[in-house]
Amino acid sequence: MTKIMVFAPHPDDETLGCGGSIAHHTNAGRQVDLVFLTSGDQGVTGMNGEQAAITREREALEAAARLGVPGRKVHFLRLPDGGLRPWEQQQFLQVLQVVRQVRPQTVYLPHTADASWDHQQAFHLIWRCLEKCASRSYPQAGAPHWVETVLGYEVWSPVAAPGYLQALTPADVATKRAALGCYLSQIKGEGEADYAGDGGLAMARFRGAMSTGGHREAFTVLRVGTLFP
């Protein structure tokens, strides 16, 4: 079975960046694992870190179910929100271990220029692991594994020159919208970012308008072995 791994710096990034593609893959019978680097514990107004983490992990599991990903395929690494450090050995080994355990053919991660500090650090942390994943270094993290294809998704800022566009069916779009609706803690007040509903579909709609209509998700291609229909 084809295995796909999606990394998210925080709960909701996976759905915003590639929720339609996740739905596309699960509908095609492909195995998808979601890996949340942090639990977004600094991202809920009026909640302390522990309460926020519990809330956002619950929302992530609900969104995953909507996208067709069972709870056993959802991984929470619980790294510090706002404290991703690509050079820190323990964080590096945690990420490396989950990749070597699951052994995906394709990995999705935030693109390198996404306009969020955490997303940029997430990119560097994950990419460092993917560069080392197939080597015999770090045997404590598992057996070597080569990831064939690596795609960078967009959340806060668009990919400048997409190398791959995934067309979304109306069912994929509806599933992405439903998954976004699970993130109720991310519905903001007036004057703040609003992407927990239709706002989270704006980038996919734009990508569709700029190509052949409908909705698409855009990616940078960091490595390519096999792409999907």
Side-chain angles (χ1 to χ4, degrees):
M1 178 182 290
T2 301
K3 293 182 181 180
I4 294 159
M5 177 169 282
V6 179
F7 279 98
H10 316 91
D12 72 16
D13 291 325
E14 80 299 338
T15 304
L16 286 163
C18 54
S21 296
I22 294 170
H24 174 81
H25 290 314
T26 58
N27 285 335
R30 300 176 186 127
Q31 176 180 305
V32 178
D33 281 69
L34 304 180
V35 182
F36 296 96
L37 298 181
T38 83
S39 298
D41 53 273
Q42 300 302 309
V44 184
T45 303
M47 289 188 186
N48 64 35
E50 182 179 359
Q51 292 171 324
I54 291 170
T55 297
R56 298 195 71 180
E57 287 187 9
R58 184 186 69 244
E59 292 173 344
L61 288 167
E62 292 170 357
R66 295 277 190 170
L67 295 171
V69 180
R72 70 181 184 280
K73 294 297 180 182
V74 180
H75 312 264
F76 297 105
L77 300 190
R78 300 187 174 106
L79 301 178
D81 189 6
L84 295 177
R85 297 180 176 88
W87 61 88
E88 188 173 287
Q89 192 78 338
Q90 186 56 43
Q91 293 191 17
F92 165 74
L93 288 173
Q94 280 184 257
V95 176
L96 183 61
Q97 184 174 44
V98 75
V99 178
R100 285 180 170 176
Q101 284 178 341
V102 175
R103 310 183 79 75
Q105 283 83 44
T106 299
V107 163
Y108 290 83
L109 74 170
H111 78 95
T112 184
D114 207 26
S116 160
W117 172 260
D118 274 357
H119 292 200
Q120 292 168 23
Q121 300 313 302
F123 169 84
H124 291 296
L125 175 59
I126 299 160
W127 187 247
R128 179 189 173 198
C129 293
L130 295 178
E131 285 186 319
K132 286 293 185 183
C133 196
S135 79
R136 285 177 285 186
S137 304
Y138 308 102
Q140 68 270 41
H145 172 67
W146 174 253
V147 176
E148 296 178 10
T149 300
V150 184
L151 302 175
Y153 60 77
E154 53 190 9
V155 176
W156 287 108
S157 54
V159 169
Y164 179 66
L165 291 164
Q166 175 64 58
L168 304 182
T169 67
D172 295 335
V173 175
T175 299
K176 178 168 179 164
R177 181 184 287 109
L180 287 168
C182 295
Y183 287 108
L184 296 178
S185 72
Q186 300 307 293
I187 296 176
K188 309 295 186 178
E190 186 175 351
E192 295 186 75
D194 180 13
Y195 51 81
D198 284 345
L201 298 171
M203 194 77 82
R205 181 68 189 93
F206 166 74
R207 293 303 188 183
M210 294 297 103
S211 53
T212 58
H215 293 74
R216 290 174 180 262
E217 288 175 338
F219 304 93
T220 58
V221 179
L222 294 128
R223 183 188 297 167
V224 62
T226 303
L227 286 176
F228 305 98

